[in-house]
Amino acid sequence: MTAVAPVPLLTLDDISLSFKGVKAVTSISFAVATGEICALIGPNGAGKSSLLNVINGVYQAQSGSITYAGQTRHHMRPHQAAEGGIARTFQNIALFKGMSVLDNVLTGRNLKRRSTWIEQMLRIGRAGAEDDEQREHAERVIEFLRIHPWRHALVGKLSYGLQKRVELARALAAEPRLLLLDEPMAGMNAQEKLEMSQFIRDINRELGTTVVLIEHDIGVVMGLSDHVVVLDYGRKIGDGTPEQVRNNPEVIAAYLGTRRSQPARSQ
Amino acid sequence: MLYQEAGQLARRYAAERRIFRLRQDRIGLLLLLVFAFVGVPWLGNDYWFSAILIPFMVLSLAGLGLNLLTGFAGQLSLGSAAFMAVGAFAAYNLQLRVAGMPLLLSFALGGVIAGLVALVFGLPSLRIKGFYLLVSTLAAQFVVEWVLTRFSWFTNDNASGVITSPPLIIAGVDFSSPQGRYLLTLGLLVLLFWLGKNLVRSELGRNWMAVRDMDTAAAVIGIRLLKAKLLAFAISGFYLGIAGSLWAFAYLGTVEPHGFDLSRSFQVLFIIIIGGLGSVLGNFLGAAFIVLFPILLGNLSALLPVGVIDSGQLENLQKVLFGALIIVFLIKEPEGLARLWQRFRLRLRVWPLRY
């Protein structure tokens, strides 16, 4: 299972983030190897979503640095992240509700456009051919995630599970190198979870996309990921393969609340 | 059965992308355009051109201008009339001060100048949203009106501030008659609506809607919020500027700041709310409602026997009735007349079956 690539795609180095004095994340460092599925786990409020938001520039960390694809930055801007090939989904679905499934997926490809809005408005030059190209790719993503029966439906009217899939499709349409998934299976039944994990595995295997995901279902996490990072109260308490993490006493304590011997979590 | 759709399958993406995918719609549009360009000038009279059709068309265009900004890009604005005024005065001054300036070019440049002014007043949108933005665009309304009345250079030092607009001559043809003004307005209307429809279906239109529906997600997928919002203000300003030129030159026949006061801004806002936010067709429906309904009510009340209600009260009653109708409409269909039309059309497509 372990795939330790020599050069990691993403490295977080000593990242700290606080909101008006409240610490969300405290000096976290870990590396995500190219081509792996990395899971971030931890109890509610452990700082998992905040960390994803730091990686793609929604939040700016107060200290630390991010190295992505060989480039080290103090912080990212959302569009820098997008241009670098980082796509993501959100914990609470963040689709464009007034638009159809197809249009949502097409917005995911907005960076793949070369023609200007004037060309598109006048319908001249490369605009038409590019429209076809964009549509063709969007259709491939739609087929891949099997949402084609709903491609012209408004996303606001779809079921929760389908909306989650449309959001994944929008992220995937950007042809990302790194895909950040914030609780892709939250609120799903067992069948839907199974489908979603298969999609994630297919994306990873077939498209070679590196995945970082947050998930609460430990069974799913252990089966799906190559690498698990455990957070608790904004700190990293575990990092390794699923087996290593499963046997880590601190992780067991955080999850099961076992009484620990005194200084187990010293600085 | 009117909408016989069998066999009309799109075989290529380009075919599915057409504005009117169904053959019936395309034929209908063609007939409508022929009627508007040939039939109406032949049938209509001066009253219809000057008092009904021209204001209806110009307000539809202004509605589209605001709808691009508010309905598609989600940025509220109460400065529509200000940008119309900028367009009208810019076009007037270009005509006045540049010898041999073609009329249509001065309209276009007036639109560009209005777009630039709108862009400046759109800068706060990067920091503030919703009702707060609405109030800050209100500043545009007051500043522009003040500048145009305070500095007489804009009105060419005219004592009354009301200027008769110059004759409408394009390539040697005089469009000053009611018929000519109607055709000029119609021509620009068709062109600008076609461009507008293309725009909202393009990448930029999708980016606008993305910013409207969920701006964080839009930023994360690489849409530059700054560029999308400012382009929305600029393009909206361009449309409103041209609508302003038409309002002054083709409808009022005079160029004056008070033709573009706050109530005009509200009128344009009502048009898009009643017609439908984020709809291109809705601008026509909303403008028709705003322009035609008061006239219809006036005609209906004329049918009442004389002396039942005196004329002053009758006028107030009309306003009350009009206001009540707007409320009823918005309760029955909050998404506007365009949505109502969409549902009706869906019915029509399956008629005589129920679904």
Side-chain angles (χ1 to χ4, degrees), chain B residues 267-291:
Chain B
Q267 196 180 27
V268 179
L269 186 64
F270 289 157
I271 285 173
I272 68 167
I273 291 175
I274 294 171
L277 291 169
S279 155
V280 172
L281 174 77
N283 302 305
F284 287 116
L285 302 177
F289 187 85
I290 288 273
V291 173

Side-chain angles (χ1 to χ4, degrees), chain B residues 10-163:
Chain B
R11 290 181 191 285
R12 291 182 307 146
Y13 292 138
E16 208 185 52
R17 264 202 315 273
R18 305 176 78 146
I19 297 178
F20 296 97
R21 201 177 60 81
L22 295 180
R23 197 186 308 119
Q24 284 89 339
D25 288 337
R26 289 197 293 273
I27 294 169
L29 179 79
L30 192 70
L31 289 178
L32 187 70
L33 283 178
V34 168
F35 179 68
F37 275 104
V38 182
V40 174
W42 185 58
L43 290 170
N45 56 35
D46 288 1
Y47 171 73
W48 267 87
F49 292 133
S50 307
I52 298 173
L53 292 172
I54 293 175
F56 158 67
M57 290 192 293
V58 178
L59 286 174
S60 305
L61 190 58
L64 177 61
L66 182 62
N67 223 330
L68 292 178
L69 180 64
T70 303
F72 288 95
Q75 310 299 307
L76 290 176
S77 163
L78 256 184
S80 319
F83 306 137
M84 289 172 78
V86 172
F89 275 86
Y92 165 73
N93 277 293
L94 284 166
Q95 284 279 295
L96 183 75
R97 290 166 211 279
V98 182
M101 177 64 121
L103 186 74
L104 286 179
L105 185 61
S106 69
F107 280 10
L109 289 177
V112 169
I113 293 169
L116 292 175
V117 172
L119 190 142
V120 171
F121 281 100
L123 286 172
S125 71
L126 309 174
R127 290 274 168 207
I128 52 181
K129 289 182 192 171
F131 286 112
Y132 302 94
L133 181 63
L134 192 73
V135 173
S136 85
T137 55
L138 199 58
Q141 185 63 44
F142 292 119
V143 168
V144 167
E145 222 179 316
W146 179 78
V147 167
L148 292 179
T149 40
R150 175 71 182 68
F151 299 100
S152 54
W153 183 84
F154 291 108
T155 49
N156 198 25
D157 299 316
N158 190 300
S160 64
V162 179
I163 319 147

Side-chain angles (χ1 to χ4, degrees), chain A residues 56 58 79 82-83 88 94 96-99 106-107 110 113 117 120-123 128 131-132 135 139, chain B residues 13-14 16-17 195 198-199 201-203 206-207 209-210 213-214 217 219-224 231 235:
Chain A
N56 79 334
V58 177
H79 69 84
E83 280 157 16
R88 77 170 283 184
F96 309 128
K97 292 210 162 28
M99 298 161 74
L106 282 170
T107 53
N110 77 91
R113 280 268 181 189
W117 62 271
Q120 292 177 37
M121 179 173 73
L122 298 170
R123 313 197 71 65
D131 274 348
D132 281 347
R135 175 74 189 266
E139 287 291 346
Chain B
Y13 292 138
E16 208 185 52
R17 264 202 315 273
L195 290 177
N198 282 345
L199 197 58
R201 298 177 322 137
S202 74
E203 196 68 47
R206 277 198 294 270
N207 289 356
M209 290 187 269
D213 287 349
M214 186 71 74
V220 163
I221 59 176
I223 295 170
R224 286 170 188 254
L231 263 177
I235 294 171

